Amino acid sequence: YVSLATKQKVQAAMKELNYIPSQLAKNLSNKKSHLVGVVVPDVIHPFFATFVKAIEKELYEHGYMTMVCSTLGREKVELEYLQWLNRQTMDGLIMCVHTLEIEDYQATSRPIVSLDRFLSPNIPMVSSDHLQAAHLTVEQLRKNGCKKVVQFSGTSKGNIGADTFVEECAHLFVEEQEELIIHPMPKHTFALEEYFKVAQEALDKYPDAQAFIGTDMVITQCLKVAWKKGIQIPEQLKLIAYDGTQITQMGPLAIS
């Protein structure tokens, strides 16, 4: 709110001194940081890497910068980010991890969006249509005559959207008296070698299974183990991955 002449003098002085206005001071004056935190279990995991890439672009187009945190091996970090949010260091938080108790999230009134975990009626959740995914999956298995199927299932604190996918697949199989075996994954499995070990155990344990269902990472490793065992894909064994990241298209065979 100054005259044009004064404004020009100030701008000339700023240019001469190479002065850059403090963003922190601006943030304090308008009570906004223009920063959104995104908390993921492991930033190099294909699903979360794909998500972070997309969300960073979307946030930037709305005038926000993205602060990404990977919590793997550091569970306390998730709580620290919640505390940062409460201190107004960030304008909002996108939670993609499921280690804290629901009460920890419900204790704040600041903006949170949850990825695939129901936290409370006041916290929005973004999720895939897991019911539709289950019906599409079982439909494909039946088309291919699969009567005995193994499904990999993660471990969590509950209220996870993806649990609906597992439950609905099981329900649809029971209806037709087909056999669906749930093979639980170890807690906090994110490294490739861990997925390979799980895949190896499952193929050894269920040699007569006609199909395997699971996340992209574990199914790519099932493909790897099957090839080592001389099992023909898809003639002898069917594989269906649930996420659809680009890792499913990288090998010699594209995974369903």
Side-chain angles (χ1 to χ4, degrees), residues 38-207:
V38 181
V39 184
V40 298
D42 189 358
V43 76
I44 67 169
H45 189 286
F47 176 83
F48 296 108
T50 304
F51 179 78
V52 168
K53 178 183 176 182
I55 204 71
E56 188 277 331
K57 180 177 180 291
E58 194 71 23
L59 285 169
Y60 180 79
E61 290 175 359
H62 286 79
Y64 291 93
M65 302 301 284
T66 305
M67 187 174 189
V68 180
C69 171
S70 179
T71 65
L72 192 62
R74 303 177 300 158
E75 289 190 7
K76 289 184 179 179
V77 175
E78 188 178 349
L79 185 58
E80 287 175 7
Y81 263 64
L82 269 176
Q83 291 168 348
W84 274 39
L85 179 66
N86 289 329
R87 296 186 193 116
Q88 300 189 13
T89 309
M90 297 177 289
D91 292 337
L93 200 56
I94 300 170
M95 302 303 298
C96 309
V97 289
H98 312 126
T99 57
L100 289 182
E101 299 297 336
I102 288 176
E103 290 76 15
D104 292 315
Y105 300 103
Q106 294 173 340
T108 180
S109 60
R110 301 275 292 148
I112 298 175
V113 174
S114 171
L115 181 67
D116 210 46
R117 185 188 184 191
F118 179 78
L119 299 175
S120 88
N122 300 321
I123 298 176
M125 178 183 79
V126 176
S127 178
S128 298
D129 187 338
H130 297 296
L131 287 175
Q132 184 192 31
H135 283 262
L136 290 170
T137 299
V138 174
E139 180 185 346
Q140 287 300 314
L141 293 168
R142 284 179 179 157
K143 277 183 181 178
N144 287 275
C146 299
K147 300 292 184 182
K148 183 173 182 178
V149 177
V150 175
Q151 182 166 28
F152 295 98
S153 173
T155 55
S156 67
K157 286 183 175 289
N159 293 356
I160 307 300
D163 291 344
T164 306
F165 174 65
V166 177
E167 291 163 5
E168 185 66 10
C169 284
H171 172 70
L172 293 170
F173 263 72
V174 168
E175 280 185 344
E176 296 295 323
Q177 295 183 333
E178 298 157 324
E179 188 177 2
L180 180 69
I181 301 164
I182 304 298
H183 188 82
M185 300 276 290
K187 191 178 180 182
H188 302 323
T189 302
F190 291 106
L192 197 61
E193 58 271 19
E194 293 169 348
Y195 284 110
F196 180 79
K197 184 180 178 182
V198 170
Q200 203 165 35
E201 288 172 354
L203 266 78
D204 287 341
K205 189 173 181 179
Y206 310 108

